[in-house]
Amino acid sequence: MSETNIKLYLKPVDFSKFKAAPWVQSKFSLGKILEKNQAKLPLDKADIVLIGIEEDRNAVERGSAKAPNKIRQYLYHLNRISPRFKILDLGNIKVGKTANDSYFALRDVCNSLVAQGKMVVVLGGSQDLTFGITKAFEEDPFNLVNIDPKFDFKKGIKTINSESYLNFIIEKQPNLYSQTILGYQNYFVDGLELDHSYELGSELKRLGEIRYDMSHIEPYMRDADVLSFDINAIRLLEAPAQYFGSPNGLYAEEACQIGHYAGMADHLKVAGFFNLIPRLDRDDLSSKLMAQVIWHLLEGFYFRKIEAPGSKREDFNEFLLEIDDIDLPLTFYQSHKTGRWWMKISDEEDSREQIISCTEEDYRMAAQNEIPDRWWKNIRKLNRMQNK
C-alpha cells in the first residue's frame, strides 16, 4: 500500500489543538518535533510512526475512544529525545461503520507500515483492537506479548470484546507462534483458565514474578512482534482512568520500564496501548502516565541496538553445554556489547533451528545439568508450528 493510500485511512493531527502547558519548553518538546516532521519528513524516511484509533464499540466499558488525543496532549509536552529523531504522528485512523471495519482498517495500516520497515505505536481505543493488529501478520509467524492483570480469553465465547479478543487471535491466527501474558494477578484467574493457557502453550508471568526481577521480562520483549498494553495492569492509585480498578498492579515506574524494554526490543513491530477511559481519570493522571510509558518506549527505540548471534559471531561468546537428557549440546550466546543472552533450539528432526532470547539464569541452569523451562516451551512451540 502506498503512502497516498495510507493517508486515505487517516485524519492528520491538528497540532493547534494541543496547547503547551506553561512549564513546557516548547522548542525542546516532542510535540514541536512531531509538528515539524509532519510538514517536512516523508514517510519513507521515518523510523517509527504513531497512529491513534478512536474505537471502543466492543469495549465492556465505553469511553476509551477519547483516549488517543488525550494521551497526545501530554506526550507532546514531554521533552524531545533527539532533535533528529525520525518519528511521525500520522493522526487517527478513520473509524468505520462497524468495529469490524475499524479492525480491518487497522490491519491494513499496520500491514503497510510494517512492510515498509516502520515500527508502529497504536494509541487506543479498547484492547480488542489487538485483534486488528494481529491480522496484519497473517503471512508470517509472530509473537504476542500482553501486559494484563488477567486472561482476556473466555472459552466458548463467540463474540469479540475487550475481554475476549484473545479467543479470536488464538483460534483464528494460525501464525501465532507465541503468546505471553506478563503481570497477571492470580486472584483474577481461575485454575481452569491457567490449565487451558498452559495447554495452549502460553507463557505466563505473575505480577510478583516480574516485580522480583524486572529484567526477566526483557527476553520476552526482545522476541515480541506485537505488544498489547492494558492500562488495567497498573494499580488504580496511579492510573484511575480504568474500569477494572484493582488496588494492586504495576507501579508507574515499572510500567515505564516495560515501555523502555519494548522500545529496545529487536523485533517489536507494533505496540498498542489500550483501555484508558478519560472520563474516569483524576487530574489526567492516567493520560500523563501513559504518555510517559510511550515516551520511554520511544527513547528505548532511539537507543536500541539490533544484534543477532547468527550475524557477527566475533561479537558474541558461544557456550556449548552437555546435558544428560538431551542428545545434542545446548548452545548459548552472550553479546560482548550488551551482555544479553540467547539460546539455540531445533525441532524433533533437527531440520529447523531457531535462536531465541533467554536470560543468564537459563544458562546457569543448563550449566548445572538442568534443562531450562524456556527451552522445553520453545521446543514444543517449534514442533507445533512445524506440524501445522
Side-chain angles (χ1 to χ4, degrees), residues 13 18 46 56 72 86 114 132 152 198 263 287 297 304 341 372:
V13 177
F18 302 99
D56 67 356
R72 282 188 174 98
K86 295 178 181 178
V114 168
D152 294 331
Y198 284 125
S287 300
L297 181 148
R304 66 164 33 172
W341 287 83

Side-chain angles (χ1 to χ4, degrees), residues 335-351:
S335 166
H336 294 161
K337 293 180 180 178
T338 64
R340 297 189 294 183
W341 287 83
W342 291 258
M343 72 170 119
K344 184 164 68 175
I345 62 171
S346 56
D347 60 22
E348 292 171 338
E349 299 175 357
D350 202 26
S351 61

Side-chain angles (χ1 to χ4, degrees), residues 55-325:
E55 174 61 72
D56 67 356
R57 283 172 286 185
N58 281 338
V60 297
E61 179 79 26
R62 298 286 296 272
S64 56
K66 300 289 186 183
N69 285 345
K70 199 68 176 177
I71 295 170
R72 282 188 174 98
Q73 178 182 338
Y74 294 104
L75 181 62
Y76 291 175
H77 288 179
L78 302 177
N79 274 13
R80 65 189 184 184
I81 295 156
S82 165
R84 292 175 295 278
F85 194 5
K86 295 178 181 178
I87 173 174
L88 279 175
D89 188 337
L90 294 181
N92 292 329
I93 292 177
K94 297 172 185 174
V95 174
K97 290 183 179 179
T98 67
N100 205 44
D101 292 332
S102 295
Y103 299 151
F104 282 94
L106 183 57
R107 176 203 65 181
D108 290 349
V109 172
C110 287
N111 182 274
S112 177
L113 292 172
V114 168
Q116 295 176 62
K118 316 304 176 190
M119 180 172 164
V120 186
V121 178
V122 178
L123 312 179
S126 50
Q127 201 176 13
D128 48 285
L129 291 165
T130 308
F131 174 63
I133 292 171
T134 61
K135 293 288 285 181
F137 295 85
E138 292 185 319
E139 301 298 323
D140 300 295
F142 69 96
N143 298 327
L144 169 65
V145 172
N146 294 77
I147 311 298
D148 217 297
K150 53 192 167 19
F151 302 169
D152 294 331
F153 183 93
K154 304 292 182 285
K155 197 171 182 180
I157 298 295
K158 301 299 182 184
T159 304
I160 190 169
N161 63 36
S162 56
E163 299 279 339
S164 66
Y165 66 91
L166 278 178
N167 292 43
F168 293 79
I169 296 173
I170 291 170
E171 294 173 358
K172 299 186 178 183
Q173 300 290 73
N175 280 321
L176 177 64
Y177 175 78
S178 171
Q179 194 262 325
T180 302
I181 299 174
L182 301 177
Y184 82 90
Q185 298 170 46
N186 214 31
Y187 34 76
F188 297 133
V189 179
D190 185 78
L192 291 176
E193 289 183 296
L194 272 174
D195 291 343
H196 186 59
S197 294
Y198 284 125
E199 288 171 8
L200 292 170
S202 298
E203 297 267 9
L204 310 171
K205 290 292 179 184
R206 290 174 61 176
L207 176 64
E209 289 181 276
I210 66 172
R211 175 164 291 154
Y212 175 74
D213 189 345
M214 288 290 289
S215 67
H216 281 189
I217 71 171
E218 186 274 334
Y220 296 107
M221 290 295 184
R222 203 187 327 156
D223 282 347
D225 297 288
V226 179
L227 170 68
S228 178
F229 195 121
D230 183 352
I231 196 172
N232 293 297
I234 304 172
R235 65 183 191 141
L236 181 65
L237 186 63
E238 300 186 0
Q242 52 173 287
Y243 60 79
F244 201 61
S246 174
N248 286 306
L250 295 166
Y251 293 104
E253 59 269 25
E254 291 171 334
C256 289
Q257 193 168 358
I258 288 172
H260 179 73
Y261 282 139
M264 290 183 64
D266 294 3
H267 300 293
L268 191 67
K269 299 173 179 66
V270 186
F273 298 86
F274 305 109
N275 289 341
L276 191 158
I277 303 174
R279 64 177 166 78
L280 300 179
D281 217 351
R282 185 182 69 253
D283 299 324
D284 290 345
L285 195 62
S286 309
S287 300
K288 293 173 183 175
L289 175 55
M290 194 60 87
Q292 290 174 17
V293 172
I294 293 166
W295 186 93
H296 278 86
L297 181 148
L298 298 174
E299 182 195 43
F301 178 86
Y302 185 75
F303 291 107
R304 66 164 33 172
K305 294 178 175 63
I306 303 293
E307 51 184 357
S311 53
K312 295 183 179 180
R313 290 295 179 94
E314 66 273 13
D315 291 339
F316 297 86
N317 292 321
E318 182 175 335
F319 304 91
L320 298 177
L321 299 177
E322 299 283 350
I323 294 185
D324 293 343
D325 295 332

Side-chain angles (χ1 to χ4, degrees), residues 321-376:
L321 299 177
E322 299 283 350
I323 294 185
D324 293 343
D325 295 332
I326 301 176
D327 294 334
L328 296 173
L330 283 188
T331 305
F332 287 85
Y333 304 94
Q334 184 190 26
S335 166
H336 294 161
K337 293 180 180 178
T338 64
R340 297 189 294 183
W341 287 83
W342 291 258
M343 72 170 119
K344 184 164 68 175
I345 62 171
S346 56
D347 60 22
E348 292 171 338
E349 299 175 357
D350 202 26
S351 61
R352 181 179 177 186
E353 291 183 347
Q354 187 168 338
I355 295 175
I356 62 168
S357 302
C358 68
T359 64
E360 184 176 358
E361 185 178 333
D362 293 316
Y363 165 73
R364 295 195 180 280
M365 284 184 65
Q368 295 173 9
N369 206 39
E370 295 181 45
I371 303 173
D373 190 45
R374 195 187 305 272
W375 186 88
W376 281 117

